[in-house]
Structure formats: structure tokens, C-alpha cells
PDB file of all heavy atoms in Angstrom:
ATOM      1  N   VAL A   1     -20.204  -2.503 -23.425  1.00  0.00           N
ATOM      2  CA  VAL A   1     -19.109  -3.458 -23.274  1.00  0.00           C
ATOM      3  C   VAL A   1     -18.582  -3.353 -21.848  1.00  0.00           C
ATOM      4  O   VAL A   1     -18.136  -2.285 -21.417  1.00  0.00           O
ATOM      5  CB  VAL A   1     -17.973  -3.160 -24.286  1.00  0.00           C
ATOM      6  CG1 VAL A   1     -16.820  -4.114 -24.070  1.00  0.00           C
ATOM      7  CG2 VAL A   1     -18.501  -3.238 -25.709  1.00  0.00           C
ATOM      8  N   GLU A   2     -18.672  -4.415 -21.089  1.00  0.00           N
ATOM      9  CA  GLU A   2     -18.234  -4.398 -19.703  1.00  0.00           C
ATOM     10  C   GLU A   2     -16.712  -4.369 -19.626  1.00  0.00           C
ATOM     11  O   GLU A   2     -16.030  -5.171 -20.266  1.00  0.00           O
ATOM     12  CB  GLU A   2     -18.755  -5.640 -18.963  1.00  0.00           C
ATOM     13  CG  GLU A   2     -20.266  -5.680 -18.822  1.00  0.00           C
ATOM     14  CD  GLU A   2     -20.792  -4.546 -17.965  1.00  0.00           C
ATOM     15  OE1 GLU A   2     -20.065  -4.115 -17.046  1.00  0.00           O
ATOM     16  OE2 GLU A   2     -21.917  -4.088 -18.224  1.00  0.00           O
ATOM     17  N   ARG A   3     -16.175  -3.462 -18.864  1.00  0.00           N
ATOM     18  CA  ARG A   3     -14.728  -3.367 -18.674  1.00  0.00           C
ATOM     19  C   ARG A   3     -14.334  -4.093 -17.391  1.00  0.00           C
ATOM     20  O   ARG A   3     -15.047  -4.033 -16.396  1.00  0.00           O
ATOM     21  CB  ARG A   3     -14.291  -1.896 -18.578  1.00  0.00           C
ATOM     22  CG  ARG A   3     -14.542  -1.114 -19.861  1.00  0.00           C
ATOM     23  CD  ARG A   3     -14.065   0.322 -19.707  1.00  0.00           C
ATOM     24  NE  ARG A   3     -14.327   1.110 -20.883  1.00  0.00           N
ATOM     25  CZ  ARG A   3     -13.515   1.160 -21.938  1.00  0.00           C
ATOM     26  NH1 ARG A   3     -12.382   0.464 -21.925  1.00  0.00           N
ATOM     27  NH2 ARG A   3     -13.819   1.904 -22.987  1.00  0.00           N
ATOM     28  N   VAL A   4     -13.196  -4.745 -17.448  1.00  0.00           N
ATOM     29  CA  VAL A   4     -12.700  -5.440 -16.272  1.00  0.00           C
ATOM     30  C   VAL A   4     -12.107  -4.406 -15.312  1.00  0.00           C
ATOM     31  O   VAL A   4     -11.249  -3.607 -15.697  1.00  0.00           O
ATOM     32  CB  VAL A   4     -11.626  -6.472 -16.655  1.00  0.00           C
ATOM     33  CG1 VAL A   4     -11.058  -7.141 -15.411  1.00  0.00           C
ATOM     34  CG2 VAL A   4     -12.208  -7.512 -17.611  1.00  0.00           C
ATOM     35  N   ALA A   5     -12.582  -4.380 -14.081  1.00  0.00           N
ATOM     36  CA  ALA A   5     -12.108  -3.396 -13.102  1.00  0.00           C
ATOM     37  C   ALA A   5     -10.673  -3.711 -12.693  1.00  0.00           C
ATOM     38  O   ALA A   5     -10.316  -4.874 -12.441  1.00  0.00           O
ATOM     39  CB  ALA A   5     -13.013  -3.410 -11.881  1.00  0.00           C
ATOM     40  N   LEU A   6      -9.855  -2.676 -12.638  1.00  0.00           N
ATOM     41  CA  LEU A   6      -8.472  -2.846 -12.193  1.00  0.00           C
ATOM     42  C   LEU A   6      -8.435  -2.959 -10.674  1.00  0.00           C
ATOM     43  O   LEU A   6      -9.277  -2.382  -9.982  1.00  0.00           O
ATOM     44  CB  LEU A   6      -7.626  -1.656 -12.635  1.00  0.00           C
ATOM     45  CG  LEU A   6      -7.407  -1.474 -14.133  1.00  0.00           C
ATOM     46  CD1 LEU A   6      -6.649  -0.177 -14.398  1.00  0.00           C
ATOM     47  CD2 LEU A   6      -6.655  -2.653 -14.724  1.00  0.00           C
ATOM     48  N   PRO A   7      -7.457  -3.683 -10.120  1.00  0.00           N
ATOM     49  CA  PRO A   7      -7.321  -3.719  -8.665  1.00  0.00           C
ATOM     50  C   PRO A   7      -6.960  -2.340  -8.140  1.00  0.00           C
ATOM     51  O   PRO A   7      -6.430  -1.501  -8.866  1.00  0.00           O
ATOM     52  CB  PRO A   7      -6.179  -4.724  -8.446  1.00  0.00           C
ATOM     53  CG  PRO A   7      -5.416  -4.723  -9.729  1.00  0.00           C
ATOM     54  CD  PRO A   7      -6.435  -4.488 -10.807  1.00  0.00           C
ATOM     55  N   SER A   8      -7.249  -2.094  -6.876  1.00  0.00           N
ATOM     56  CA  SER A   8      -7.066  -0.767  -6.288  1.00  0.00           C
ATOM     57  C   SER A   8      -5.779  -0.655  -5.490  1.00  0.00           C
ATOM     58  O   SER A   8      -5.402  -1.585  -4.766  1.00  0.00           O
ATOM     59  CB  SER A   8      -8.243  -0.432  -5.366  1.00  0.00           C
ATOM     60  OG  SER A   8      -9.442  -0.361  -6.109  1.00  0.00           O
ATOM     61  N   VAL A   9      -5.137   0.487  -5.628  1.00  0.00           N
ATOM     62  CA  VAL A   9      -4.003   0.860  -4.784  1.00  0.00           C
ATOM     63  C   VAL A   9      -4.453   2.023  -3.912  1.00  0.00           C
ATOM     64  O   VAL A   9      -4.815   3.089  -4.419  1.00  0.00           O
ATOM     65  CB  VAL A   9      -2.776   1.250  -5.626  1.00  0.00           C
ATOM     66  CG1 VAL A   9      -1.770   2.038  -4.783  1.00  0.00           C
ATOM     67  CG2 VAL A   9      -2.102   0.022  -6.200  1.00  0.00           C
ATOM     68  N   ASP A  10      -4.465   1.819  -2.610  1.00  0.00           N
ATOM     69  CA  ASP A  10      -4.847   2.839  -1.638  1.00  0.00           C
ATOM     70  C   ASP A  10      -3.638   3.739  -1.391  1.00  0.00           C
ATOM     71  O   ASP A  10      -2.679   3.330  -0.735  1.00  0.00           O
ATOM     72  CB  ASP A  10      -5.306   2.154  -0.351  1.00  0.00           C
ATOM     73  CG  ASP A  10      -5.797   3.126   0.717  1.00  0.00           C
ATOM     74  OD1 ASP A  10      -5.359   4.283   0.718  1.00  0.00           O
ATOM     75  OD2 ASP A  10      -6.605   2.704   1.564  1.00  0.00           O
ATOM     76  N   MET A  11      -3.676   4.959  -1.923  1.00  0.00           N
ATOM     77  CA  MET A  11      -2.521   5.847  -1.795  1.00  0.00           C
ATOM     78  C   MET A  11      -2.213   6.182  -0.347  1.00  0.00           C
ATOM     79  O   MET A  11      -1.042   6.290   0.045  1.00  0.00           O
ATOM     80  CB  MET A  11      -2.729   7.123  -2.609  1.00  0.00           C
ATOM     81  CG  MET A  11      -1.495   8.030  -2.583  1.00  0.00           C
ATOM     82  SD  MET A  11      -1.651   9.460  -3.672  1.00  0.00           S
ATOM     83  CE  MET A  11      -0.080  10.295  -3.319  1.00  0.00           C
ATOM     84  N   GLU A  12      -3.234   6.374   0.469  1.00  0.00           N
ATOM     85  CA  GLU A  12      -2.996   6.671   1.881  1.00  0.00           C
ATOM     86  C   GLU A  12      -2.171   5.560   2.530  1.00  0.00           C
ATOM     87  O   GLU A  12      -1.220   5.821   3.284  1.00  0.00           O
ATOM     88  CB  GLU A  12      -4.316   6.831   2.625  1.00  0.00           C
ATOM     89  CG  GLU A  12      -5.084   8.090   2.280  1.00  0.00           C
ATOM     90  CD  GLU A  12      -6.355   8.221   3.109  1.00  0.00           C
ATOM     91  OE1 GLU A  12      -6.388   7.693   4.242  1.00  0.00           O
ATOM     92  OE2 GLU A  12      -7.311   8.842   2.629  1.00  0.00           O
ATOM     93  N   ALA A  13      -2.535   4.311   2.240  1.00  0.00           N
ATOM     94  CA  ALA A  13      -1.829   3.172   2.833  1.00  0.00           C
ATOM     95  C   ALA A  13      -0.405   3.072   2.296  1.00  0.00           C
ATOM     96  O   ALA A  13       0.542   2.771   3.047  1.00  0.00           O
ATOM     97  CB  ALA A  13      -2.592   1.884   2.550  1.00  0.00           C
ATOM     98  N   VAL A  14      -0.228   3.326   1.001  1.00  0.00           N
ATOM     99  CA  VAL A  14       1.110   3.258   0.398  1.00  0.00           C
ATOM    100  C   VAL A  14       2.026   4.316   1.009  1.00  0.00           C
ATOM    101  O   VAL A  14       3.190   4.039   1.338  1.00  0.00           O
ATOM    102  CB  VAL A  14       1.018   3.430  -1.130  1.00  0.00           C
ATOM    103  CG1 VAL A  14       2.400   3.644  -1.741  1.00  0.00           C
ATOM    104  CG2 VAL A  14       0.366   2.205  -1.767  1.00  0.00           C
ATOM    105  N   LEU A  15       1.519   5.538   1.177  1.00  0.00           N
ATOM    106  CA  LEU A  15       2.334   6.590   1.780  1.00  0.00           C
ATOM    107  C   LEU A  15       2.739   6.244   3.205  1.00  0.00           C
ATOM    108  O   LEU A  15       3.887   6.461   3.617  1.00  0.00           O
ATOM    109  CB  LEU A  15       1.559   7.913   1.779  1.00  0.00           C
ATOM    110  CG  LEU A  15       1.349   8.590   0.426  1.00  0.00           C
ATOM    111  CD1 LEU A  15       0.471   9.819   0.580  1.00  0.00           C
ATOM    112  CD2 LEU A  15       2.677   8.973  -0.208  1.00  0.00           C
ATOM    113  N   LYS A  16       1.794   5.695   3.953  1.00  0.00           N
ATOM    114  CA  LYS A  16       2.108   5.322   5.332  1.00  0.00           C
ATOM    115  C   LYS A  16       3.223   4.273   5.365  1.00  0.00           C
ATOM    116  O   LYS A  16       4.184   4.376   6.136  1.00  0.00           O
ATOM    117  CB  LYS A  16       0.853   4.793   6.038  1.00  0.00           C
ATOM    118  CG  LYS A  16       1.008   4.666   7.548  1.00  0.00           C
ATOM    119  CD  LYS A  16      -0.273   4.154   8.194  1.00  0.00           C
ATOM    120  CE  LYS A  16      -1.398   5.156   8.132  1.00  0.00           C
ATOM    121  NZ  LYS A  16      -2.596   4.701   8.886  1.00  0.00           N
ATOM    122  N   ALA A  17       3.106   3.268   4.498  1.00  0.00           N
ATOM    123  CA  ALA A  17       4.122   2.220   4.451  1.00  0.00           C
ATOM    124  C   ALA A  17       5.478   2.765   4.017  1.00  0.00           C
ATOM    125  O   ALA A  17       6.522   2.349   4.528  1.00  0.00           O
ATOM    126  CB  ALA A  17       3.671   1.114   3.499  1.00  0.00           C
ATOM    127  N   ALA A  18       5.464   3.718   3.075  1.00  0.00           N
ATOM    128  CA  ALA A  18       6.717   4.284   2.577  1.00  0.00           C
ATOM    129  C   ALA A  18       7.436   5.116   3.631  1.00  0.00           C
ATOM    130  O   ALA A  18       8.638   5.376   3.512  1.00  0.00           O
ATOM    131  CB  ALA A  18       6.454   5.131   1.333  1.00  0.00           C
ATOM    132  N   GLN A  19       6.735   5.535   4.672  1.00  0.00           N
ATOM    133  CA  GLN A  19       7.366   6.229   5.796  1.00  0.00           C
ATOM    134  C   GLN A  19       7.847   5.244   6.863  1.00  0.00           C
ATOM    135  O   GLN A  19       8.944   5.389   7.403  1.00  0.00           O
ATOM    136  CB  GLN A  19       6.369   7.210   6.435  1.00  0.00           C
ATOM    137  CG  GLN A  19       6.011   8.387   5.539  1.00  0.00           C
ATOM    138  CD  GLN A  19       4.719   9.072   5.968  1.00  0.00           C
ATOM    139  OE1 GLN A  19       4.749  10.096   6.636  1.00  0.00           O
ATOM    140  NE2 GLN A  19       3.584   8.512   5.578  1.00  0.00           N
ATOM    141  N   ILE A  20       7.013   4.251   7.138  1.00  0.00           N
ATOM    142  CA  ILE A  20       7.306   3.341   8.254  1.00  0.00           C
ATOM    143  C   ILE A  20       8.284   2.232   7.876  1.00  0.00           C
ATOM    144  O   ILE A  20       9.261   1.967   8.602  1.00  0.00           O
ATOM    145  CB  ILE A  20       5.995   2.714   8.779  1.00  0.00           C
ATOM    146  CG1 ILE A  20       5.049   3.801   9.281  1.00  0.00           C
ATOM    147  CG2 ILE A  20       6.280   1.717   9.895  1.00  0.00           C
ATOM    148  CD1 ILE A  20       3.640   3.302   9.588  1.00  0.00           C
ATOM    149  N   ASP A  21       8.045   1.575   6.755  1.00  0.00           N
ATOM    150  CA  ASP A  21       8.790   0.352   6.435  1.00  0.00           C
ATOM    151  C   ASP A  21      10.302   0.541   6.339  1.00  0.00           C
ATOM    152  O   ASP A  21      11.064  -0.303   6.836  1.00  0.00           O
ATOM    153  CB  ASP A  21       8.251  -0.276   5.148  1.00  0.00           C
ATOM    154  CG  ASP A  21       6.837  -0.831   5.318  1.00  0.00           C
ATOM    155  OD1 ASP A  21       6.321  -0.810   6.453  1.00  0.00           O
ATOM    156  OD2 ASP A  21       6.246  -1.270   4.317  1.00  0.00           O
ATOM    157  N   PRO A  22      10.799   1.634   5.731  1.00  0.00           N
ATOM    158  CA  PRO A  22      12.253   1.789   5.665  1.00  0.00           C
ATOM    159  C   PRO A  22      12.909   1.985   7.035  1.00  0.00           C
ATOM    160  O   PRO A  22      14.128   1.848   7.166  1.00  0.00           O
ATOM    161  CB  PRO A  22      12.438   3.045   4.792  1.00  0.00           C
ATOM    162  CG  PRO A  22      11.182   3.156   4.016  1.00  0.00           C
ATOM    163  CD  PRO A  22      10.109   2.677   4.949  1.00  0.00           C
ATOM    164  N   ARG A  23      12.119   2.317   8.048  1.00  0.00           N
ATOM    165  CA  ARG A  23      12.659   2.561   9.386  1.00  0.00           C
ATOM    166  C   ARG A  23      12.585   1.326  10.286  1.00  0.00           C
ATOM    167  O   ARG A  23      13.078   1.352  11.416  1.00  0.00           O
ATOM    168  CB  ARG A  23      11.903   3.721  10.053  1.00  0.00           C
ATOM    169  CG  ARG A  23      11.876   4.983   9.222  1.00  0.00           C
ATOM    170  CD  ARG A  23      13.260   5.532   8.980  1.00  0.00           C
ATOM    171  NE  ARG A  23      13.824   6.155  10.175  1.00  0.00           N
ATOM    172  CZ  ARG A  23      15.072   6.600  10.264  1.00  0.00           C
ATOM    173  NH1 ARG A  23      15.904   6.450   9.246  1.00  0.00           N
ATOM    174  NH2 ARG A  23      15.507   7.160  11.376  1.00  0.00           N
ATOM    175  N   ARG A  24      11.964   0.269   9.790  1.00  0.00           N
ATOM    176  CA  ARG A  24      11.855  -0.963  10.572  1.00  0.00           C
ATOM    177  C   ARG A  24      13.185  -1.713  10.594  1.00  0.00           C
ATOM    178  O   ARG A  24      13.975  -1.639   9.650  1.00  0.00           O
ATOM    179  CB  ARG A  24      10.797  -1.889   9.974  1.00  0.00           C
ATOM    180  CG  ARG A  24       9.371  -1.377  10.011  1.00  0.00           C
ATOM    181  CD  ARG A  24       8.451  -2.443   9.442  1.00  0.00           C
ATOM    182  NE  ARG A  24       7.077  -2.016   9.290  1.00  0.00           N
ATOM    183  CZ  ARG A  24       6.164  -2.055  10.261  1.00  0.00           C
ATOM    184  NH1 ARG A  24       6.501  -2.494  11.463  1.00  0.00           N
ATOM    185  NH2 ARG A  24       4.919  -1.661  10.030  1.00  0.00           N
ATOM    186  N   ALA A  25      13.382  -2.478  11.647  1.00  0.00           N
ATOM    187  CA  ALA A  25      14.566  -3.339  11.724  1.00  0.00           C
ATOM    188  C   ALA A  25      14.323  -4.662  11.010  1.00  0.00           C
ATOM    189  O   ALA A  25      15.252  -5.443  10.825  1.00  0.00           O
ATOM    190  CB  ALA A  25      14.915  -3.596  13.188  1.00  0.00           C
ATOM    191  N   ASP A  26      13.073  -4.916  10.610  1.00  0.00           N
ATOM    192  CA  ASP A  26      12.737  -6.165   9.921  1.00  0.00           C
ATOM    193  C   ASP A  26      11.985  -5.834   8.632  1.00  0.00           C
ATOM    194  O   ASP A  26      11.952  -4.682   8.214  1.00  0.00           O
ATOM    195  CB  ASP A  26      11.872  -7.059  10.831  1.00  0.00           C
ATOM    196  CG  ASP A  26      10.627  -6.333  11.349  1.00  0.00           C
ATOM    197  OD1 ASP A  26      10.200  -5.341  10.713  1.00  0.00           O
ATOM    198  OD2 ASP A  26      10.079  -6.757  12.392  1.00  0.00           O
ATOM    199  N   SER A  27      11.420  -6.848   8.006  1.00  0.00           N
ATOM    200  CA  SER A  27      10.690  -6.633   6.760  1.00  0.00           C
ATOM    201  C   SER A  27       9.189  -6.804   6.965  1.00  0.00           C
ATOM    202  O   SER A  27       8.480  -7.275   6.077  1.00  0.00           O
ATOM    203  CB  SER A  27      11.192  -7.591   5.665  1.00  0.00           C
ATOM    204  OG  SER A  27      11.056  -8.937   6.099  1.00  0.00           O
ATOM    205  N   ALA A  28       8.717  -6.424   8.151  1.00  0.00           N
ATOM    206  CA  ALA A  28       7.284  -6.520   8.439  1.00  0.00           C
ATOM    207  C   ALA A  28       6.495  -5.626   7.496  1.00  0.00           C
ATOM    208  O   ALA A  28       7.011  -4.656   6.935  1.00  0.00           O
ATOM    209  CB  ALA A  28       7.013  -6.126   9.888  1.00  0.00           C
ATOM    210  N   ILE A  29       5.231  -5.954   7.316  1.00  0.00           N
ATOM    211  CA  ILE A  29       4.345  -5.209   6.427  1.00  0.00           C
ATOM    212  C   ILE A  29       3.442  -4.308   7.253  1.00  0.00           C
ATOM    213  O   ILE A  29       2.858  -4.738   8.248  1.00  0.00           O
ATOM    214  CB  ILE A  29       3.505  -6.182   5.578  1.00  0.00           C
ATOM    215  CG1 ILE A  29       4.431  -6.965   4.625  1.00  0.00           C
ATOM    216  CG2 ILE A  29       2.430  -5.445   4.797  1.00  0.00           C
ATOM    217  CD1 ILE A  29       3.731  -8.059   3.855  1.00  0.00           C
ATOM    218  N   THR A  30       3.334  -3.060   6.846  1.00  0.00           N
ATOM    219  CA  THR A  30       2.466  -2.120   7.550  1.00  0.00           C
ATOM    220  C   THR A  30       1.013  -2.579   7.424  1.00  0.00           C
ATOM    221  O   THR A  30       0.539  -2.823   6.305  1.00  0.00           O
ATOM    222  CB  THR A  30       2.628  -0.707   6.967  1.00  0.00           C
ATOM    223  OG1 THR A  30       3.950  -0.241   7.248  1.00  0.00           O
ATOM    224  CG2 THR A  30       1.624   0.260   7.573  1.00  0.00           C
ATOM    225  N   PRO A  31       0.317  -2.720   8.547  1.00  0.00           N
ATOM    226  CA  PRO A  31      -1.074  -3.195   8.494  1.00  0.00           C
ATOM    227  C   PRO A  31      -1.931  -2.380   7.524  1.00  0.00           C
ATOM    228  O   PRO A  31      -1.910  -1.152   7.540  1.00  0.00           O
ATOM    229  CB  PRO A  31      -1.555  -3.028   9.940  1.00  0.00           C
ATOM    230  CG  PRO A  31      -0.315  -3.153  10.756  1.00  0.00           C
ATOM    231  CD  PRO A  31       0.755  -2.498   9.937  1.00  0.00           C
ATOM    232  N   GLY A  32      -2.678  -3.083   6.677  1.00  0.00           N
ATOM    233  CA  GLY A  32      -3.575  -2.438   5.732  1.00  0.00           C
ATOM    234  C   GLY A  32      -2.926  -1.958   4.455  1.00  0.00           C
ATOM    235  O   GLY A  32      -3.610  -1.455   3.559  1.00  0.00           O
ATOM    236  N   ALA A  33      -1.591  -2.103   4.347  1.00  0.00           N
ATOM    237  CA  ALA A  33      -0.887  -1.565   3.180  1.00  0.00           C
ATOM    238  C   ALA A  33      -0.331  -2.635   2.255  1.00  0.00           C
ATOM    239  O   ALA A  33       0.009  -2.336   1.104  1.00  0.00           O
ATOM    240  CB  ALA A  33       0.262  -0.661   3.641  1.00  0.00           C
ATOM    241  N   GLY A  34      -0.229  -3.858   2.711  1.00  0.00           N
ATOM    242  CA  GLY A  34       0.480  -4.889   1.966  1.00  0.00           C
ATOM    243  C   GLY A  34       0.007  -5.108   0.542  1.00  0.00           C
ATOM    244  O   GLY A  34       0.819  -5.146  -0.395  1.00  0.00           O
ATOM    245  N   SER A  35      -1.296  -5.227   0.334  1.00  0.00           N
ATOM    246  CA  SER A  35      -1.805  -5.519  -1.014  1.00  0.00           C
ATOM    247  C   SER A  35      -1.564  -4.356  -1.969  1.00  0.00           C
ATOM    248  O   SER A  35      -1.227  -4.554  -3.141  1.00  0.00           O
ATOM    249  CB  SER A  35      -3.296  -5.865  -0.957  1.00  0.00           C
ATOM    250  OG  SER A  35      -4.052  -4.784  -0.431  1.00  0.00           O
TER     251      SER A  35
END
């Protein structure tokens, strides 16, 4: 029975964004982390 693959969350990218984004003056998205 074929299982539907779940979308991927890149933990490295999420951690990077969680450090950078709160320090931004705007709501820009960290490259490579948005999805």
C-alpha cells in the first residue's frame, strides 16, 4: 500500500530562522527557510 509522503521541514533552516527573524526590523523571510 503506497503511503503519501509528508512534506519536509528542514530543522537546520527552521533553527536559523528562529534566531534571525525575531531580530529583524521587518518581516523578511530567511532564505531557504520559508517553506
Side-chain angles (χ1 to χ4, degrees):
V1 177
E2 294 296 329
R3 296 181 182 275
V4 177
L6 294 175
S8 296
V9 162
D10 183 333
M11 184 174 178
E12 289 183 28
V14 169
L15 289 175
K16 193 179 291 186
Q19 292 161 99
I20 299 170
D21 292 355
R23 306 298 286 173
R24 295 183 186 275
D26 54 22
S27 58
I29 294 173
T30 294
S35 60

